[in-house]
Amino acid sequence: MSEMSYLRRLLVNPTTLQKIDILAIGVHPDDVELSCSGTLLRHIRMGKTVGLLDLTRGELGTRGTADIRDQEALDAARLMGAAFRWNANMADGFFQHTPENVKKIASFIRASQPDIVLANALSDRHPDHGRAAKLTADACFYSGLAKIETFDADGFPQAPWRPKAIYHYIQDNNLTPDFVVDITEFIDRKMELVLAFKSQFYVPEATEYAQEASTPISGAQFRNFLRAKAATYGRIAGFDFAEGFNVARTLRHIEPLRFSLTMYILRVSKVVAYLCWALCVSLPIMAQQGDKNLVQRLLIVGDADGMPHAALWQHLQQTLDTCPASTTLVWMGDLTRQGMPLPGSKEYATTTSHIDSLLALSHHCPGRTWVIPGDKDWQRGLPGGMAAVNRLEDYILAQAPPALQFAPHNACGDPTVWKVDKDLVFIFIDSQWWLQSLDDRCQYRQRLRHQKPQ
């Protein structure tokens, strides 16, 4: 029997799994909602696709039944906007790290091909959580080995697939996070998802559970605890509310989730720190204002389509206010989410308002400001990308301070060269043009076409 046949199919196109960006795995129904649903909501709004996998039905829970929790899990997934929710039907409390269970999870990973997996806490009060974390992490690795065979629901062999990263959400125990994700805008919706599990938590209207036995999570005070915990994790990073995560191996990059503006990475207990925004505001500090030998300060901000937290925004503004004229600010791509909209469209006002805020910050830069479009500004390779970049350039140059330049000009891939002094030259190249545009107006494309082979 195929591994996929064990899975209970709860939501949306149960016979056809789609490739997703993020797969959130929890050993019990409601683990995901309690510990990482704010992060998922944030990335769903960013256009990411999310799938859910529960390893057990939570049949050993004091309150409710497995059938009730199935329905609650379905309701929560629909409220979240998840692409699907499945259940691996492992034994609650008694599942073990066996080849069968590893292959169950690996089969699901191969079917949905996530770039990122969110998994249970590395250690926690409930013994199932840490055990599930290890099982999930191992399955993510083994799913990439070609000699481990798994089969889909129709009995066909599955191709190997290994997620790019695994992040373990923090659950009951207050672990020190390696990073936190800002969920300030989503804290109320997160609570709605949690309370979809009416049999487990305090919902005054759910009178059918009033006579059920009390548990540590069934009282009104637990709802207050959840908000307080999110506030605690947010406070250490300057957010109102946040969710914490740990990693079991050193992060190579954080690109897949576009976290550079949506999370503030702490890495408190490890040597390596990935602080994209902190890097932007710390470069001038590392090079002290009194350093007479400093030729140029370069501040680079990437993935600017997501507005950072106000405290970080203010910090960068204050830094720019104190920088000398030998400072260059570079907006390194993705000022928009899906390209510059057409005037009059419903997205136009929101997009231009965001761009205006970036340009307002650019006024604080005493030196030059450069804008370089990214793949989102090119509409991710879709038709109309070049026109969208030209609209973006026209809008920015019409609103921009005099010292701002858009490079490369006219949506061309020709290198833009700025000679700072005799020893320092900046060369700006829009790499997306090489992947997308075949416009022969651009000089370098013409040179390539007419260049004779050596």
Side-chain angles (χ1 to χ4, degrees), residues 63 198-199 201-212:
R63 296 166 62 91
K198 298 178 182 178
S199 66
F201 305 108
Y202 178 71
V203 181
E205 299 80 13
T207 56
E208 63 270 35
Y209 304 111
Q211 302 305 314
E212 295 257 3

Side-chain angles (χ1 to χ4, degrees), residues 336 340-341 347-359 395:
T336 65
M340 186 68 179
E347 299 89 0
Y348 186 77
T350 301
T351 302
T352 54
S353 175
H354 171 65
I355 293 173
D356 289 345
S357 68
L358 300 181
L359 297 178
Y395 181 84

Side-chain angles (χ1 to χ4, degrees), residues 21-37:
D21 296 308
I22 308 169
L23 174 61
I25 300 177
V27 65
H28 306 118
D30 73 23
D31 282 356
V32 166
E33 283 75 11
L34 285 167
S35 301
C36 67
S37 58

Side-chain angles (χ1 to χ4, degrees), residues 320 329 331 357-367 369 371 401 404:
L320 289 169
L329 172 64
W331 296 108
S357 68
L358 300 181
L359 297 178
L361 185 58
S362 300
H363 280 279
H364 293 266
C365 180
T369 297
V371 176
L404 186 145

Side-chain angles (χ1 to χ4, degrees), residues 246-318:
N246 292 123
V247 293
R249 62 179 182 178
T250 302
L251 289 168
R252 293 183 301 165
H253 53 73
I254 53 175
E255 159 66 16
L257 281 177
R258 296 285 185 181
F259 273 2
S260 55
L261 289 186
T262 64
M263 73 180 182
Y264 185 95
I265 305 178
L266 300 176
R267 302 293 293 175
V268 174
S269 61
K270 296 181 174 64
V271 174
V272 180
Y274 298 82
L275 298 174
C276 291
W277 264 97
L279 176 63
C280 292
V281 299
S282 65
L283 282 174
I285 298 172
M286 295 163 61
Q288 295 297 322
Q289 304 292 332
D291 188 349
K292 302 298 184 183
N293 298 320
L294 189 66
V295 174
Q296 185 74 199
R297 291 178 175 86
L298 181 63
L299 279 71
I300 302 175
V301 183
D303 290 342
D305 59 306
M307 289 290 287
H309 188 268
L312 294 176
W313 196 256
Q314 184 180 12
H315 193 177
L316 182 55
Q317 176 180 316
Q318 292 172 350

